[in-house]
Amino acid sequence: MAVTRTFSIIKPDATRRNLTGGVTKLLEEAGLRVVASKRIQLSQEQAEGFYAVHKERPFFNDLVSFMISGPVVVQVLEGEDAVKTNRDVMGATNPADAAEGTIRKTFAESIEANSVHGSDSEENAAIEIAYFFKPEEIVG
Ligand code: CMP
């Protein structure tokens, strides 16, 4: 299996509870390497653009409000089959459905305040990485 990259966000519910290290520890223990990372405050426009695919969903406005409610940590993760490895360690979107030991089972508060975002495909990973990082900011 090839070494690939994915994109991750540590969401405001996790940064608020000082869980940046706790989340990152689980990512690293799953075999992922943080090759870029920055803590930022998303603007409304940035959050709306990032989640544009969900624009018609009933939860869109709440999602955007939540994502700008505090700082996030955007990261590029590298590892074997990184998209799947990351999705496995994140666990199900709804923490009530997430498996033991996953990030969302361990830390998430609700389906909205679910501590992490991860790309759902390699194609989207490339788009999402480019949304936040210049190539020279990623050091593998
Ligand atoms: P994320 O991977 O960041 O992508 C979209 C987010 O919408 C998702 O994680 C959830 O946190 C959030 N969300 C809020 N409500 C819902 C819902 N009812 N169904 C799916 N996702 C939801």
Side-chain angles (χ1 to χ4, degrees):
M1 189 55 71
V3 172
T4 57
R5 288 177 175 172
T6 191
F7 175 75
S8 169
I9 304 178
I10 302 177
K11 295 187 180 185
D13 67 285
T15 61
R16 189 175 292 126
R17 289 176 290 149
N18 207 21
L19 292 171
T20 298
V23 170
T24 302
K25 181 168 186 280
L26 292 184
L27 295 171
E28 291 178 340
E29 285 174 355
L32 294 162
R33 180 177 295 270
V34 180
V35 295
S37 183
K38 54 188 172 190
R39 181 177 168 104
I40 58 174
Q41 172 65 52
L42 289 177
S43 67
Q44 177 147 347
E45 295 68 32
Q46 266 179 315
E48 287 175 352
F50 183 78
Y51 280 119
V53 65
H54 296 302
K55 209 167 46 205
E56 306 306 327
R57 307 285 286 272
F59 57 80
F60 179 73
N61 288 342
D62 284 346
L63 173 62
V64 169
S65 297
F66 168 65
M67 291 299 290
I68 66 173
S69 69
V72 298
V73 178
V74 291
Q75 298 177 317
V76 181
L77 308 176
E78 190 174 84
E80 295 280 327
D81 200 3
V83 168
K84 180 177 187 304
T85 301
N86 186 40
R87 291 185 73 78
D88 287 349
V89 71
M90 285 196 301
T93 304
N94 187 345
D97 302 328
E100 281 301 328
T102 61
I103 292 168
R104 286 168 170 159
K105 178 71 175 182
T106 306
F107 296 126
E109 298 179 315
S110 67
I111 193 168
E112 178 177 88
N114 66 352
S115 300
V116 278
H117 163 83
S119 308
D120 63 2
S121 66
E122 293 210 13
E123 187 188 2
N124 283 337
I127 293 167
E128 293 176 357
I129 289 169
Y131 196 81
F132 288 104
F133 291 98
K134 299 180 188 136
E136 62 267 27
E137 292 177 314
I138 305 167
V139 183

